[in-house]
Each structure stands twice: as structure tokens, then as C-alpha cells.
């Protein structure tokens, strides 16, 4: 079974509108972390936001927020007031287990290509 | 200057050739990782290293080897390159003490095996 599922290969949004990128995950570990990365056409991976499994509140970073629904195992990324520069590939990733003590690797989803229309 | 650098940035090679991709970091991180990215598959982990004496296989280590020459350097080798190793390769680092286990990525190396 896929550990991270991103069901939207491509999304379009009008500039200044909000957009939600979906991510569902599968783990039996009670301690885990969820990440979103942005990959523009230049190729680099840019960290956007993090949510820990024990965090009581949804994470927010500027125009990015993470809609964390633990019971549904979903961690959707919400981008408010989209800008043309937001056009990129977006990856959801998960770290299973606690972050301390070992080299915990990330498992990535297949990504969603977001295009912001002027 | 970038904190995580990869060389070369682009490489075209032929089947059967030995290739080394290098990664250097100035972040002082203990953890280093090698991923490959294929269209539609996201990033998959090849190898990771906890420190200089620690090397671990990831999800897709067959056909690859690594060397952690120093805390700051982690190289990936393809002993005999084959066309299905054509991909974008990323090095990443992480701090042992980081409570989030965030990973910082290099700019990537685009490898084409003909």
C-alpha cells in the first residue's frame, strides 16, 4: 500500500484564489511527521510546512496552512491568495516514528503540479 | 553560497560507465541522504547515513553504492550505469537535534544514461 497518496496529478487555480492540494497517508506508528515541499521548474526542493502527529493545532506558515485531519489520515496543503510564483510541483512527505535518535527518512508522494493562471 | 551543493549538476554517460555524484554540505548536519526522482513517482530513498561510520540502504539501493568520506561529504556511485538509472538525483541533509527531522535538499543532479 502507498504510504503517501496524492491523487491530483495536476491542479489549476486562478491568481489570488485559494487552492487545496490533497494528501493522505498510511501509518500504524502513533508518532510521525508530515511535510510539504515545493519544487519549481528549476528543480530545487523547498520546504514549506511541517505538522507533527501530536500537534493540537494545524500548522501555518504565511500563506500556507496544513489542514490536518488525523482520524481521516489526511494532511492537505492550503495555499491562500495564489500567486503566479506558486506554480510548481508540490510534494507531501511523511516521517514515521519520532524524530529524535535516528536517521529517519522521508517517504514522498508522487506530487501535484499546480498551475496558477493570471 | 548554497548550504548543500551537488556536483555535477548535469551528466550524460553511456551504459556500463562508472559514475560518481558528489554532495557537500556546510550546515554541519549529521544526517545525509540520497534520493532519486522519476516522473510520476516522487522521490525515493537510495541510501542514508547517520554519521561517518553509519551507512544504510534505502528503498532502492540496488545498483548504487555510497561513501561518507567526512561529515560534510556523501557521494553516490553507479558502478555500471544502465539506462533506467536516468533520473534526477537529490542529496539532502538533516540535523540530529532537529525536532521536526526537516531535510534540506541540494539543487539536484540530472543524470542521463544512454
Amino acid at each position: 500500500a502507498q504510504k503517501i497518496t496524492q491523487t491530483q496529478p495536476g491542479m489549476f487555480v486562478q491568481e489570488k484564489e485559494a487552492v487545496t492540494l490533497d494528501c493522505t497517508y498510511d501509518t500504524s506508528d502513533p508518532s510521525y511527521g508530515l511535510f510539504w515541499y515545493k519544487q519549481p521548474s528549476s528543480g530545487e526542493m523547498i520546504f514549506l510546512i511541517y505538522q507533527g502527529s501530536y500537534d493540537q493545532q494545524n500548522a501555518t506558515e504565511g500563506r500556507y496552512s496544513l489542514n490536518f485531519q488525523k482520524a481521516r489520515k489526511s494532511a492537505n496543503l492550503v495555499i491562500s491568495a495564489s500567486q503566479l510564483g506558486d506554480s510548481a510541483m508540490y510534494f507531501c512527505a511523511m516521517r514515521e516514528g519520532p524524530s529524535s535518535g535516528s536517521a529517519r527518512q522521508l517517504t514522498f508522494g508522487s506530487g501535484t503540479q499546480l498551475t496558477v493562471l493570471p | 553560497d548554497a548550504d548543500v551543493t551537488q556536483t555535477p549538476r548535469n551528466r550524460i554517460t553511456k551504459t556500463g560507465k562508472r559514475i560518481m555524484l558528489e554532495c557537500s554540505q556546510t550546515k554541519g548536519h549529521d544526517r545525509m541522504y540520497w534520493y532519486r526522482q522519476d516522473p510520476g513517482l516522487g522521490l525515493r530513498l537510495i541510501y542514508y547515513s547517520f554519521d561517518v561510520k553509519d551507512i544504510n540502504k534505502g528503498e532502492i539501493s540496488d545498483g548504487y553504492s555510497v561513501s561518507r568520506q567526512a561529515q560534510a561529504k556523501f557521494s553516490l556511485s553507479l558502478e555500471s550505469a544502465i539506462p533506467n538509472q536516468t533520473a534526477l538525483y537529490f542529496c539532502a541533509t538533516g540535523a540530529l537535534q532537529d525536532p521536526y527531522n526537516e531535510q534540506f535538499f541540494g539543487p539536484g543532479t540530472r543524470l542521463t544514461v544512454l
Side-chain angles (χ1 to χ4, degrees), chain A residues 35 37 39 42-45 47 50 55 89 91 95 99-111, chain B residues 9 31 33 35 37 40-43 45 48-50 88 90 96 98-107:
Chain A
F35 301 76
Y37 283 85
Q39 185 180 41
S42 51
E44 71 268 32
M45 295 288 285
F47 167 75
Y50 170 83
D55 293 344
M89 182 73 85
F91 290 98
R95 180 210 71 236
S99 60
S100 60
S102 62
R104 295 289 179 181
Q105 63 265 36
L106 299 181
T107 301
F108 285 80
S110 56
Chain B
R9 294 294 311 279
R31 303 169 179 172
Y33 307 81
Y35 292 89
Q37 182 180 14
L41 293 177
L43 277 71
L45 183 67
Y48 63 99
S49 170
F50 185 54
L88 182 58
F90 284 102
L96 177 61
D98 183 351
Y100 299 156
N101 194 195
E102 179 185 347
Q103 293 183 17
F104 298 83
F105 286 81

Side-chain angles (χ1 to χ4, degrees), chain B residues 37-58:
Chain B
Q37 182 180 14
D38 298 277
L41 293 177
L43 277 71
R44 293 181 292 166
L45 183 67
I46 306 171
Y47 272 95
Y48 63 99
S49 170
F50 185 54
D51 63 25
V52 174
K53 299 177 183 177
D54 177 81
I55 301 290
N56 303 278
K57 293 183 177 181

Side-chain angles (χ1 to χ4, degrees), chain B residues 6 28 73:
Chain B
Q6 292 182 233
K73 295 185 183 295

Side-chain angles (χ1 to χ4, degrees), chain A residues 34-36 47-52 55-68 75-80, chain B residues 100:
Chain A
L34 297 157
F35 301 76
W36 277 92
F47 167 75
L48 295 178
I49 197 167
Y50 170 83
Q51 180 84 41
D55 293 344
Q56 295 295 314
Q57 295 187 328
N58 287 344
T60 59
E61 289 285 349
R63 293 187 298 110
Y64 304 108
S65 60
L66 201 152
N67 184 1
F68 182 45
N76 299 339
L77 177 70
V78 180
I79 306 175
S80 63
Chain B
Y100 299 156

